[in-house]
Amino acid sequence: MTDNADVIIIGGGIAGTSTAYHLAKLGVTDVLLIERDSVAAGATGRSGAEIFVHGESPEKARVVWESLQIYRNWPDVVGGDAGFRQTGTLSIFGPEHREQAAASAASSNEAGVRLELVSPEDVKIMQPFLRVDDIGGAVHSRDAGHGDGYSAANAFAAAAREMGARTALDTPVAEVLVENGRTVGVRLEDGGERRASTVVLSAGAWSAPLASTAGVELDVTSYRICAGLLERPPEIREHMSMTDRTIGTYWRMEGPDLTLFGVRNKEIMRPHDPDTIVESIDENTMRMWSRRITHRIPAMADAAWRMVWSAPDGYTPDHYPVLGALPGVEGLYAACGFSGSGFMLGPASGKRLAEMIVHGEARTADVSHMRPDRFAEGKPRERDMLRHWPYDPAVDERFP
């Protein structure tokens, strides 16, 4: 055994570990997954790990739907535990977006995803503790829910190792090595080299800086994902996984008595250096979070904060990931820029990328909408208004 490999994957999040697993399933077992910290130490392990199939484009809905089936059947497909819990999901929208929500839900249903548009009154019946007087309704999925990013990525990595793949943890990569227009491996921060004819950039917020060392411009920017845990009041025993565009938030259960809660606001939705990101959350921001969650769930006024955190994640301009061969350097691929949806898309995206590496194309589904060169072509995707909403200054004005 050497430190070199046929394929080197940089990044131990859900996309990188899924790619390693699916490569091994296709017979490519000489895989070395290199991670700067530990598996799922970045955005994957700190994400809400929610699985929303609500209102996605048909192409993206198919990828999310396939990932959902993997999570629902995880013990038989991968082995181990991904922490999946089928709670059902709601994507809440304002009255001004009902028509758009109906169209988005219909397009997802055309892709074979089971969704229904529900009224504010229906939302109140489903979740009696919600305030619904200022919403237009929600898109509901009975099949979806949430999982655990740390457990899922580590299960993928363990299954890949059982088939022959290797992992190198606490091993930061400094440079992608290129000779005569093709990748030949990587140089580590300690000066060592690892050789491979194929390199996959799946390093989240660090993917673009690494791509630049190979002379490739990658349209992925580092933003912060910020979340925290609230101890629920006793009157809220359980709840669905939800995202609420009207207040720029998402939340889901964490165990029997905690709620994981995240938010988007002006401070978060701007570029941050992933190497110097502040992981703590200040008190003013926590108070703003509290105003938002108690607006939608008044009983949360009696909730207690357990902990808060942030982590860097890679976002693309259209919030669709970059998946496939990178132009200009033969043998260099990317699976990054998931824009807060890595857990949802990671299992199926890793499968698609493995197919591209082995067969030269994604055979089981069309992922051309994720192709890396779409930005250079001037053909970014239109963002979905329910799941990947743009930063809305009006929300910050309501909840400063």
Side-chain angles (χ1 to χ4, degrees):
M1 182 182 295
T2 70
D3 289 330
N4 301 325
D6 289 338
V7 180
I8 287 177
I9 300 171
I10 307 173
I14 191 71
T17 55
S18 173
T19 301
Y21 168 80
H22 284 103
L23 280 170
K25 290 280 286 185
L26 291 174
V28 181
T29 57
D30 189 12
V31 174
L32 176 62
L33 187 146
I34 303 178
E35 162 58 42
R36 62 184 289 123
D37 197 319
S38 57
V39 171
T44 291
R46 303 185 189 187
S47 73
E50 292 176 301
I51 307 166
F52 283 96
V53 292
H54 300 170
E56 302 287 356
S57 66
E59 304 98 328
K60 194 172 182 181
R62 293 187 185 97
V63 180
V64 177
W65 189 252
E66 182 179 347
S67 289
L68 175 59
Q69 305 319 308
I70 293 173
Y71 284 125
R72 292 176 69 181
N73 299 283
W74 192 274
D76 296 327
V77 175
V78 180
D81 182 16
F84 177 71
R85 184 169 182 183
Q86 186 176 326
T87 61
T89 56
L90 288 171
S91 284
I92 297 170
F93 54 84
E96 71 276 19
H97 291 124
R98 183 174 178 83
E99 185 175 334
Q100 289 174 274
S104 294
S107 68
S108 292
N109 281 321
E110 290 175 5
V113 179
R114 295 191 292 267
L115 297 176
E116 61 179 328
L117 195 70
V118 296
S119 68
E121 294 74 22
D122 292 329
V123 171
K124 188 70 173 178
I125 293 171
M126 293 178 183
Q127 305 283 258
F129 48 83
L130 291 182
R131 174 183 172 180
V132 300
D133 62 320
D134 62 342
I135 71 172
V139 180
H140 174 227
S141 168
R142 302 176 186 275
D143 302 298
H146 70 267
D148 179 80
Y150 180 87
S151 298
N154 275 278
F156 264 143
R161 284 193 298 267
E162 288 178 0
M163 291 184 281
R166 291 165 286 142
T167 55
L169 307 181
D170 297 311
T171 307
V173 173
E175 180 183 0
V176 176
L177 300 175
V178 178
E179 295 178 3
N180 300 318
R182 73 160 299 120
T183 182
V184 294
V186 300
R187 179 174 291 114
L188 308 178
E189 286 191 357
D190 65 8
E193 293 185 0
R194 302 292 182 269
R195 291 276 166 162
S197 59
T198 300
V199 173
V200 176
L201 296 177
S202 190
W206 287 270
S207 296
L210 285 170
S212 68
T213 67
V216 176
E217 183 178 349
L218 198 56
D219 291 287
V220 177
T221 302
S222 173
Y223 289 152
R224 293 171 73 195
I225 57 170
C226 299
L229 288 176
L230 286 164
E231 184 175 351
R232 291 195 300 276
E235 57 264 41
I236 304 177
R237 297 178 61 102
E238 293 186 345
H239 60 74
M240 300 167 71
S241 296
M242 287 175 265
T243 182
D244 187 341
R245 185 179 193 266
T246 68
I247 57 174
T249 61
Y250 61 88
W251 60 93
R252 56 92 162 165
M253 288 191 296
E254 174 73 11
D257 59 356
L258 299 179
T259 290
L260 188 152
F261 174 71
V263 68
R264 290 183 179 180
N265 72 322
K266 182 178 180 180
E267 165 61 21
I268 294 169
M269 297 307 293
R270 66 177 179 83
H272 290 76
D273 182 346
D275 289 317
T276 60
I277 190 170
V278 177
E279 296 190 5
S280 61
I281 308 295
D282 63 81
E283 291 186 7
N284 286 335
T285 298
M286 291 176 64
R287 283 193 287 269
M288 177 268 292
W289 289 10
S290 297
R291 286 191 291 272
R292 296 191 184 199
I293 192 67
T294 55
H295 174 83
R296 187 60 62 222
I297 310 177
M300 281 291 191
D302 296 325
W305 287 104
R306 283 284 189 89
M307 64 181 298
V308 292
W309 65 87
S310 69
D313 197 9
Y315 280 68
T316 64
D318 60 7
H319 286 198
Y320 281 73
V322 173
L323 188 73
L326 293 176
V329 179
E330 187 178 353
L332 184 59
Y333 294 79
C336 57
F338 285 90
S339 307
S341 294
F343 188 81
M344 292 194 301
L345 297 168
S349 295
K351 181 179 180 180
R352 302 291 181 269
L353 187 61
E355 291 171 352
M356 293 182 204
I357 293 170
V358 174
H359 303 302
E361 62 180 354
R363 292 187 170 180
T364 52
D366 177 17
V367 289
S368 60
H369 59 292
M370 300 180 185
R371 66 190 185 281
D373 54 2
R374 66 185 184 274
F375 301 109
E377 296 171 353
K379 297 178 181 179
R381 298 290 300 182
E382 182 179 352
R383 285 195 221 171
D384 183 88
M385 53 76 58
L386 283 180
R387 179 69 184 110
H388 290 128
W389 63 87
Y391 162 66
D392 186 355
V395 175
D396 278 1
E397 292 176 6
R398 292 176 60 204
F399 305 97

